[in-house]
Amino acid sequence: MGQTFRPRRPGKSAEKSQAELDEMVRRMRGEQSASGSYREQSLKIHGWICAKCGREFDLSNLHLLTVHHRDGNHLNNPPDGSNWENLCVWCHDDEHSRGVLGDYLNDGESRRK
């Protein structure tokens, strides 16, 4: 009468060999490490200092220094660091809230016209 919600057993065509699964895991780990390494690269290139307020960081508070993507695209990570700037969490928050405030104010102006 109704539909059952039991998991289906994979057929022979859906089963992957252990070698295929291992290769898939290697590819996924490689992609994760490549996308996660831009912070370390940016810290090496730009140093442990906020580009906006000039606050310097050491190992005890380095977690408060973030990488800001200038063009807003988190997938644009050139190895030369040209799309990154290191910002402290406060300046990074300010940078992103400025865009939100600007959008809000611009939308209000368009409604008044």
Side-chain angles (χ1 to χ4, degrees), residues 103-113:
D103 292 343
Y104 173 78
L105 293 173
N106 285 334
D107 186 46
E109 286 180 19
S110 65
R111 280 185 271 159
R112 284 181 268 194
K113 290 181 180 178

Side-chain angles (χ1 to χ4, degrees), residues 29-43:
R29 284 183 179 160
E31 291 170 5
Q32 286 176 348
S33 65
S35 66
S37 65
Y38 69 82
R39 182 174 191 274
E40 288 79 20
Q41 288 177 297
S42 183
L43 291 172

Side-chain angles (χ1 to χ4, degrees), residues 2-112:
Q3 192 176 18
T4 62
F5 293 101
R6 281 188 246 155
R8 294 182 186 170
R9 287 187 171 183
K12 289 282 183 191
S13 61
E15 290 181 12
K16 295 200 181 286
S17 71
Q18 188 61 43
E20 289 173 313
L21 293 173
D22 290 344
E23 176 59 28
M24 188 182 337
V25 169
R26 273 194 294 279
R27 272 197 330 266
M28 291 172 73
R29 284 183 179 160
E31 291 170 5
Q32 286 176 348
S33 65
S35 66
S37 65
Y38 69 82
R39 182 174 191 274
E40 288 79 20
Q41 288 177 297
S42 183
L43 291 172
K44 286 179 187 174
I45 294 170
H46 302 295
W48 294 8
I49 187 167
C50 176
K52 192 170 182 180
C53 71
R55 180 181 291 200
E56 294 183 26
F57 292 82
D58 57 30
L59 201 53
S60 67
N61 62 0
L62 189 59
H63 64 280
L64 298 173
L65 189 62
T66 63
V67 178
H68 174 68
H69 290 80
R70 293 178 183 183
D71 69 357
N73 181 358
H74 291 257
L75 300 176
N76 182 10
N77 294 307
D80 66 351
S82 58
N83 189 38
W84 307 322
E85 61 183 346
N86 295 342
L87 297 177
C88 68
V89 292
W90 302 281
C91 290
H92 201 176
D93 187 46
D94 181 60
E95 190 70 26
H96 285 281
S97 64
R98 286 173 181 258
V100 172
L101 179 61
D103 292 343
Y104 173 78
L105 293 173
N106 285 334
D107 186 46
E109 286 180 19
S110 65
R111 280 185 271 159
R112 284 181 268 194

